[in-house]
Amino acid sequence: MEYVYAALLLHAAGKEITEENLKAVLEAAGVSVDEARIKALVAALDGVNIDEVIEKAAMPVAAPVAVAATPVAEAPAEAAEEEEEEEEEEKEEEALAGLGALFG
C-alpha cells in the first residue's frame, strides 16, 4: 500500500511518477524498497489519468438518516430505496477494488 501512497503523493505534488521518484519517496519514509514492485507500479500507471480514476472511485459521504416510526404504507418504498442504496454501495466497492488492483 505504501507504494500506492508514494505514487499518489508524487501526483499530488505535481511530480512525475518515475522509478527514481518513487524510490526516493519510499526511502525517505523508511520503507524497504522492492525494485520489481516499483517497476510494476510505474508500468501499471503508464497512460492512466489518476485524477479521473480518483474521481470515479471517490465515495460520496452519506447524510445521517434519522430513524423514525414509518407508516406501513411507506414501507415498500423504503425497501426499494434501501435496495438501491445497497446496489450503489456494491458498485462503489467494486470501483474501489478495481482501483486497488490498478495500484496493486
Side-chain angles (χ1 to χ4, degrees), residues 48-69:
V48 173
N49 183 335
I50 295 175
D51 290 322
E52 185 177 301
V53 172
I54 291 171
E55 184 178 313
K56 286 182 180 178
M59 292 182 7
V61 177
V65 179
V67 178

Side-chain angles (χ1 to χ4, degrees), residues 35-91:
E35 297 288 338
R37 288 182 73 186
I38 288 177
K39 287 180 186 293
L41 180 58
V42 171
L45 292 176
D46 186 35
V48 173
N49 183 335
I50 295 175
D51 290 322
E52 185 177 301
V53 172
I54 291 171
E55 184 178 313
K56 286 182 180 178
M59 292 182 7
V61 177
V65 179
V67 178
T70 306
V72 176
E74 292 180 20
E78 283 187 5
E81 281 182 27
E82 287 178 15
E83 251 182 66
E84 288 177 16
E85 288 176 9
E86 288 175 8
E87 288 175 8
E88 185 65 29
E89 287 176 9
E90 288 176 9
K91 287 180 185 177

Side-chain angles (χ1 to χ4, degrees), residues 4-59:
V4 174
Y5 290 145
L8 290 173
L9 179 62
L10 287 169
H11 175 74
K15 305 291 182 185
E16 188 176 359
I17 300 173
T18 64
E19 292 177 30
E20 297 81 25
N21 288 348
L22 278 171
K23 185 175 180 178
V25 170
L26 291 167
E27 286 176 345
V31 175
S32 177
V33 176
D34 180 350
E35 297 288 338
R37 288 182 73 186
I38 288 177
K39 287 180 186 293
L41 180 58
V42 171
L45 292 176
D46 186 35
V48 173
N49 183 335
I50 295 175
D51 290 322
E52 185 177 301
V53 172
I54 291 171
E55 184 178 313
K56 286 182 180 178
M59 292 182 7

